[in-house]
């Protein structure tokens, strides 16, 4: 067990710093420590750490403590921040309204088609009806309506494909990051989109340094940046769910995939896709199910079947929406895909025991569930590493 922990720490050194910062924010919320004291302790810790260069262990501990104090200071400074209006954002929002008008002309009088299309591609949920929201919530498909990592990953793959032939890799990555942030501005810079765009930007930076597989580091750096910008976002439901979902996928998905021989998956592409989709769905559910039960008092029992339907159709809808903007005569295909998604989820929502409602959990019970999930991770890690 010890070598596995050491390997994780070496591959993701920023993870413990992010955890320390989260602990500092929680401590600052629970205590009445003044700002001047937090800044003083942070300064003293930083100075002492600089003088401990010959003592690596002590310096590492001081750095972790320093990030905890940084989290405390960030929380105390959070109430003094004010939202600023960015002129560029206003211009992008105007462009979004033009695109929404085109969607309205394409969908006609069908509000469900327009609502789903506007929410999935441009982040505008104003047209979603309560009945449609309920259908997506019961089936566990609400994540496809909220612009997040899945949507931006499609944009990232598309932009990467278009810039793949450039000789200089850093130029291609810069263009991709600019395209990602342009899309983020176009969708209104919602918190979930900002989180995903920041993570993709961090991933691009790591890939430039030859560390493209340090996805846990990219996730940790994203959390540190966003918490420095606004420590109060730690208590935002979307922030918690998005980071726990991605972290759970990064940790559990390789373990689930390792349960099936790679040679078999290599020879059977269909089974490989099924195993991959199952691994992603189970991994993400382990990360967010306790939070969904705590905040929304619901558990979607058929989430696995939902993802097999919703994720492929949502991906096709994103590509079809872009193609329709370029070639308007492709609109019937786009509308067909959205109708198929709504009809499929409506059918799944009528299955017996489609969701378990009325769940009530205390905060300490949720913490214990995540402790159990952590124990499950290390147990699977140990079992799969045995010769």
């Amino acid at each position: 067990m010890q070598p596995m922990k050491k390997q994780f720490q070496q591959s993701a050194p920023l993870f413990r710093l992010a955890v320390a910062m989260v602990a500092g924010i929680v401590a600052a919320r629970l205590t009445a420590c003044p700002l001047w004291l937090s800044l003083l302790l942070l300064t003293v810790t930083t100075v002492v750490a600089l003088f401990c260069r010959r003592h690596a262990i002590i310096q590492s501990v001081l750095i972790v403590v320093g990030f905890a104090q940084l989290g405390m200071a960030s929380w105390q400074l959070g109430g003094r921040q004010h939202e600023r209006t960015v002129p560029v954002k206003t211009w992008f929002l105007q462009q979004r309204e033009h695109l929404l008008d085109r969607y309205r002309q394409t969908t006609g009088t069908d509000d469900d088609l327009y609502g789903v299309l506007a929410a999935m591609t441009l982040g505008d949920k104003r047209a979603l009806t309560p009945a449609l929201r309920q259908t997506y919530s019961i089936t566990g498909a609400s994540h496809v309506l909220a612009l997040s990592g899945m949507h931006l990953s499609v944009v990232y793959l598309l932009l990467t494909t278009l810039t793949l032939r450039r000789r200089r890799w850093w130029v291609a990555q810069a263009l991709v990051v600019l395209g990602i942030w342009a899309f983020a501005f176009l969708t209104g810079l919602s918190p979930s989109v900002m989180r995903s765009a920041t993570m993709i930007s961090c991933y691009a930076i790591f890939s430039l340094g030859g560390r493209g597989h340090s996805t846990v580091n990219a996730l940790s750096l994203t959390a540190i940046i966003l918490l420095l910008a606004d420590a109060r976002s730690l208590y935002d439901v979307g922030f918690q769910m998005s980071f726990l979902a991605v972290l759970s996928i990064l940790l559990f998905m390789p373990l689930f995939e390792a349960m099936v021989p790679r040679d078999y998956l290599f020879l059977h592409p269909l089974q490989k896709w099924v195993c991959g989709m199952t691994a992603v769905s189970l991994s993400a559910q382990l990360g967010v199910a306790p939070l969904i039960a705590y905040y929304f008092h619901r558990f979607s029992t058929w989430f696995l079947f939902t993802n097999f339907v919703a994720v492929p159709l949502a991906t096709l809808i994103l590509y079809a929406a872009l193609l329709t903007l370029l070639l308007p005569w492709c609109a019937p295909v786009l509308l067909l895909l959205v109708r198929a998604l709504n009809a499929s989820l409506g059918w799944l929502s009528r299955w017996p025991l489609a969701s378990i409602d009325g769940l009530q959990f205390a905060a300490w019970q949720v913490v214990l569930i995540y402790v159990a999930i952590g124990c499950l991770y290390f147990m699977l890690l140990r079992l799969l590493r045995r010769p």
Side-chain angles (χ1 to χ4, degrees):
M1 179 69 68
Q2 191 66 25
M4 289 184 290
K5 291 182 179 179
K6 185 176 181 181
Q7 182 181 3
F8 178 78
Q9 292 176 355
Q10 291 176 349
S11 61
L14 294 179
F15 179 74
R16 54 184 174 182
L17 300 183
V19 173
M21 193 170 183
V22 169
I25 294 173
V26 174
R29 190 192 185 196
L30 297 177
T31 61
C33 180
L35 176 61
W36 67 267
L37 181 58
S38 297
L39 294 176
L40 178 61
L41 292 175
L42 177 60
T43 303
V44 172
T45 304
T46 304
V47 172
V48 175
L50 291 175
F51 282 100
C52 293
R53 289 178 295 180
R54 296 183 180 181
H55 306 279
I57 297 178
I58 297 177
Q59 188 180 49
S60 299
V61 172
L62 289 173
I63 291 174
V64 172
V65 173
F67 267 82
Q69 295 167 347
L70 183 62
M72 295 182 67
S74 178
W75 171 265
Q76 292 156 349
L77 287 170
R80 307 182 183 187
Q81 296 175 352
H82 302 280
E83 186 176 354
R84 298 178 180 178
T85 303
V86 183
V88 177
K89 180 180 178 180
T90 303
W91 182 85
F92 274 102
L93 289 178
Q94 292 174 352
Q95 305 308 310
R96 183 175 76 164
E97 291 300 323
H98 294 319
L99 294 176
L100 289 174
D101 290 339
R102 292 184 59 180
Y103 281 166
R104 176 60 73 182
Q105 295 173 4
T106 301
T107 57
T109 59
D110 196 323
D111 292 335
D112 286 346
L113 291 181
Y114 172 78
V116 171
L117 194 56
M120 285 185 56
T121 60
L122 294 175
D124 186 3
K125 297 183 179 180
R126 294 173 295 180
L128 290 174
T129 62
L132 194 60
R133 291 176 183 266
Q134 183 72 355
T135 298
Y136 277 74
S137 176
I138 290 175
T139 56
S142 296
H143 60 281
V144 303
L145 292 177
L147 285 175
S148 58
M150 183 190 76
H151 304 76
L152 264 71
S153 63
V154 173
V155 178
Y156 177 79
L157 290 175
L158 179 61
L159 294 175
T160 302
T161 303
L162 295 176
T163 59
L164 192 60
R165 295 184 179 181
R166 288 191 172 272
R167 296 180 180 179
R168 297 184 180 181
W169 176 245
W170 67 269
V171 175
Q173 287 298 298
L175 293 175
V176 169
V177 170
L178 287 176
I180 289 293
W181 280 102
F183 180 75
F185 273 94
L186 184 64
T187 56
L189 280 181
S190 64
S192 59
V193 172
M194 287 188 64
R195 287 190 291 269
S196 302
T198 304
M199 184 178 176
I200 291 176
S201 302
C202 294
Y203 180 84
I205 294 173
F206 277 100
S207 66
L208 290 177
R211 298 175 62 89
H213 297 287
S214 301
T215 46
V216 176
N217 266 338
L219 180 67
S220 303
L221 182 59
T222 302
I224 292 172
I225 293 173
L226 295 178
L227 290 176
L228 279 175
D230 183 11
R232 280 164 172 73
S233 62
L234 177 64
Y235 291 93
D236 178 71
V237 179
F239 183 95
Q240 297 173 12
M241 291 183 62
S242 61
F243 274 97
L244 284 176
V246 175
L247 178 62
S248 184
I249 290 173
L250 294 177
L251 295 181
F252 279 98
M253 185 174 173
L255 301 183
F256 291 146
E257 289 182 334
M259 296 178 182
V260 182
R262 291 186 178 181
D263 295 338
Y264 174 80
L265 296 179
F266 180 77
L267 297 175
H268 301 83
L270 179 60
Q271 288 86 332
K272 180 180 179 180
W273 179 82
V274 171
C275 289
M277 182 65 68
T278 304
V280 171
S281 301
L282 292 177
S283 301
Q285 198 68 18
L286 281 173
V288 301
L291 284 182
I292 294 176
Y294 177 71
Y295 287 114
F296 306 106
H297 316 294
R298 166 175 286 169
F299 177 75
S300 301
T301 53
W302 304 114
F303 70 91
L304 189 58
F305 294 99
T306 296
N307 285 333
F308 273 101
V309 174
V311 173
L313 283 176
T315 304
L316 291 175
I317 288 172
L318 292 174
Y319 283 119
L322 178 60
L323 188 61
T324 301
L325 292 176
L326 299 176
L327 304 172
W329 53 268
C330 295
V333 177
L334 174 62
L335 298 181
L336 178 64
L337 292 172
V338 178
R339 284 195 183 94
L341 178 62
N342 288 343
S344 300
L345 295 181
W347 175 61
L348 287 171
S349 67
R350 294 187 293 271
W351 282 20
L353 296 176
S355 69
I356 303 174
D357 298 322
L359 299 175
Q360 297 291 336
F361 287 98
W364 65 270
Q365 292 174 315
V366 176
V367 172
L368 288 180
I369 292 174
Y370 278 112
V371 170
I373 292 174
C375 294
L376 173 65
Y377 169 74
F378 285 108
M379 182 187 71
L380 292 176
L381 191 63
R382 186 170 186 175
L383 290 175
L384 294 173
R385 291 289 178 88
R386 284 183 177 179

